[in-house]
Amino acid sequence: MKKKQHCYMCDCIATSEEHVPPKCLFPETKDVLNKNDYRKNLIKVPSCDEHNLSKSKNDEYLLIAFSIAWCTTNYAKDAQLNKLLRINKRTPHVIYEILKNRQPVNVFKDNSIISTYKYNLDYSRVVEQIIHVAYGIHFHHYKTRAANKPKIIVATGMKTELPSFNKNQRIITEKYNSHLKSTETHGENQDVFYYQAHKSSNEVVIRLVFYKDLKFIAIFPS
């Protein structure tokens, strides 16, 4: 008899499998010019219904947030354009609410100035989704559910309007970059997503990288 598995995020018995990161972040073959299969060998973990089926809208919100981020590679924008158009046709209010009060702004990247926009992103909603991904990757990589909730650091790709908060995020990022610099990368489709994991006596640190330029650090205390 097959042993029952528990959810990657809670003590409930798993009833399905959850893709981590969400499957929608990986472009469909019909939407990419090179016709590559970016959905092969995706990471899946056991999940209860609450932590899988009930969050599909949040998964799409994460896709929208990532696709319009100023630092996201042109590849990601082009590959997800048709997907975004389909989402916008089905639920136009979501993208509208994010972009309705956008304002032009200049940012620096690779010693160049890029003209982009700041917009009304639900920051806490994005971070909550990254927490789900971090739990999933921890379960996948270490074969056990994390005992404690991770702290999420936005390493690159997103900034708030709070300079002190952004500075603190940058300081913490620089601290952990040294731990992760030479750590092996994992992931079948690294143009879309890969991760690195480092374990010490008092914490587990996982770097999550989306579309090469959107980077988050999840810190799990032991």
Side-chain angles (χ1 to χ4, degrees):
M1 183 176 179
K2 188 176 180 180
K3 183 180 178 181
K4 291 184 178 180
Q5 292 183 298
H6 288 81
C7 175
Y8 73 105
M9 282 196 68
C10 69
D11 290 327
C12 292
I13 297 297
T15 55
S16 61
E17 289 187 310
E18 162 78 333
H19 287 93
V20 286
K23 188 176 182 179
C24 68
L25 296 185
F26 296 84
E28 297 179 55
T29 302
K30 66 181 180 180
D31 292 331
V32 291
L33 294 177
N34 59 19
K35 300 305 177 185
N36 283 353
D37 182 5
Y38 290 104
R39 293 189 167 191
K40 62 182 179 182
N41 300 325
L42 299 184
I43 297 170
K44 293 191 288 187
V45 293
S47 177
C48 67
D49 287 345
E50 179 182 354
H51 291 118
N52 185 354
L53 303 178
S54 64
K55 66 184 192 69
S56 59
K57 291 183 179 179
N58 287 332
D59 291 346
E60 285 195 344
Y61 189 89
L62 190 66
L63 169 62
I64 294 168
F66 281 2
S67 297
I68 63 178
W70 65 268
C71 78
T72 306
T73 56
N74 287 332
Y75 152 75
K77 295 180 188 296
D78 293 341
Q80 295 290 28
L81 177 60
N82 288 333
K83 178 74 171 182
L84 288 176
L85 292 174
R86 292 194 293 272
I87 293 173
N88 193 51
K89 185 176 181 180
R90 185 171 67 252
T91 54
H93 64 282
V94 177
I95 296 179
Y96 173 77
E97 285 298 320
I98 293 175
L99 298 179
K100 68 177 181 179
N101 293 320
R102 65 187 182 277
Q103 299 177 27
V105 65
N106 292 327
V107 295
F108 290 91
K109 181 185 180 185
D110 300 330
N111 297 318
S112 299
I113 298 177
I114 298 174
S115 296
T116 183
Y117 294 91
K118 61 180 180 179
Y119 45 88
N120 298 324
L121 185 68
D122 187 339
Y123 185 83
S124 61
R125 190 175 181 183
V126 170
V127 169
E128 190 61 32
Q129 286 301 95
I130 297 301
I131 288 173
H132 279 256
V133 176
Y135 267 109
I137 294 300
H138 186 289
F139 190 99
H140 169 76
H141 191 80
Y142 293 107
K143 311 305 178 187
T144 183
R145 179 166 58 87
N148 299 299
K149 187 176 181 178
K151 179 178 182 180
I152 301 299
I153 303 300
V154 182
T156 62
M158 292 183 177
K159 292 184 178 180
T160 71
E161 293 186 295
L162 302 173
S164 60
F165 178 83
N166 295 334
K167 181 180 179 180
N168 182 60
Q169 299 274 288
R170 186 171 65 253
I171 291 171
I172 298 174
T173 296
E174 290 172 355
K175 171 187 175 181
Y176 285 103
N177 277 346
S178 60
H179 296 315
L180 297 164
K181 185 177 181 180
S182 58
T183 305
E184 182 182 0
T185 61
H186 303 272
E188 183 72 27
N189 308 287
Q190 296 196 9
D191 282 340
V192 179
F193 171 77
Y194 68 86
Y195 75 88
Q196 297 165 282
H198 175 81
K199 189 174 187 178
S200 66
S201 59
N202 62 338
E203 63 188 9
V204 170
V205 180
I206 298 176
R207 176 155 58 192
L208 309 165
V209 183
F210 303 86
Y211 306 124
K212 298 183 178 180
D213 286 325
L214 281 161
K215 301 177 182 178
F216 299 83
I217 296 173
I219 306 165
F220 292 90
S222 299

